[in-house]
Amino acid sequence: MEEQDARVPALEPFRVEQAPPLIYYVPNFISKEEEEYLLRQVFNAPKPKWTQLSGRKLQNWGGLPHPRGMVPERLPPWLQRYVDKPHEDGPLYYPTVSTISLGSHTVLDFYEPRQPEDDVPIEQPRPPPQPITSLLVEPCSLLVLRGTAYTHLLHGIAATHVDELDAASLPPNAAACQSALPGAHLVRGTRVSLTIRRVPRVLRASLLLSK
């Protein structure tokens, strides 16, 4: 019942089958021209907007209350337009995260969270955790995680330059991806992700840009 309640009827044609609930993948959500426009805006952002993290850079726009009780920061128009766009088919409130991908593909891995027994010392080193599923995420696409796919699962991106697609184990969203061909060798470039979250405490859209 909880899964059913988390579904977004307008996005049901894009739900990824054989994946943890609920994941929606919308290919070609924006045009190539929109992608180029957004990339220009991202890279032209003021230097103080960038935060250097391990292996990536981050911008944070909106949703953060200013000191001394001031009104939270508003999104600039070029971002507000794309925050609104994922919501055109119905409001996507918590627990939801929406990501628009720009510039390059990537492979997003999903993992079960760590268990208490994972921290108990053993004689032999434990093998690295294996993803329960992996999605190919192409440029210009929209990825929406709802319910337990957002609140329960961990996700990450492996450090690799080339993604080799095995004909026997294509990602569950392969039918929606033009580049998901058996035996394909996909070379990664610089990817920028526009990650949109609504969090209950702030009650405003917060948008993270990372590359």
Side-chain angles (χ1 to χ4, degrees), residues 16-51:
V16 180
E17 302 288 350
Q18 300 178 346
L22 285 159
I23 299 176
Y24 298 104
Y25 179 79
V26 184
N28 302 314
F29 179 72
I30 62 172
S31 67
K32 294 299 292 184
E33 291 76 16
E34 289 177 297
E35 178 190 34
E36 293 171 1
Y37 167 76
L38 284 169
L39 286 172
R40 286 196 302 270
Q41 298 297 325
V42 168
F43 291 122
N44 287 335
K47 192 172 183 179
K49 267 294 178 184
W50 289 100
T51 300

Side-chain angles (χ1 to χ4, degrees), residues 6-200:
R7 293 186 181 184
V8 182
L11 290 178
E12 278 299 295
F14 302 101
R15 183 157 58 92
V16 180
E17 302 288 350
Q18 300 178 346
L22 285 159
I23 299 176
Y24 298 104
Y25 179 79
V26 184
N28 302 314
F29 179 72
I30 62 172
S31 67
K32 294 299 292 184
E33 291 76 16
E34 289 177 297
E35 178 190 34
E36 293 171 1
Y37 167 76
L38 284 169
L39 286 172
R40 286 196 302 270
Q41 298 297 325
V42 168
F43 291 122
N44 287 335
K47 192 172 183 179
K49 267 294 178 184
W50 289 100
T51 300
Q52 180 68 56
L53 301 178
S54 177
R56 62 184 179 133
K57 295 180 180 179
L58 177 72
Q59 294 178 25
N60 194 314
W61 295 83
L64 298 177
H66 283 221
R68 301 179 183 176
M70 295 176 64
V71 177
E73 177 190 24
R74 291 184 176 275
L75 294 176
W78 64 271
L79 281 179
Q80 187 64 57
R81 172 184 175 186
Y82 291 93
V83 170
D84 294 339
K85 188 171 182 178
H87 291 253
E88 287 177 354
D89 293 327
L92 297 177
Y93 298 111
Y94 181 86
T96 300
V97 60
S98 307
T99 300
I100 301 173
S101 292
L102 312 171
S104 174
H105 82 281
T106 196
V107 172
L108 186 64
D109 299 320
F110 291 84
Y111 301 86
E112 290 285 358
R114 289 178 59 84
Q115 301 300 318
E117 55 268 24
D118 295 334
D119 296 322
V120 177
I122 59 175
E123 293 184 2
Q124 299 295 327
R126 288 186 173 88
Q130 296 299 309
I132 59 174
T133 194
S134 300
L135 299 181
L136 176 61
V137 182
E138 294 184 311
C140 301
S141 67
L142 172 69
L143 181 68
V144 178
L145 307 182
R146 293 271 294 163
T148 56
Y150 175 36
T151 60
H152 178 71
L153 297 181
L154 305 177
H155 62 270
I157 296 175
T160 184
H161 296 293
V162 179
D163 295 295
E164 300 182 4
L165 302 187
D166 186 347
S169 57
L170 290 175
N173 66 325
C177 299
Q178 293 181 344
S179 59
L181 302 176
H185 292 248
L186 306 180
V187 179
R188 294 187 190 181
T190 299
R191 174 176 176 261
V192 173
S193 62
L194 279 63
T195 302
I196 305 162
R197 298 186 180 96
R198 284 184 181 269
V199 289

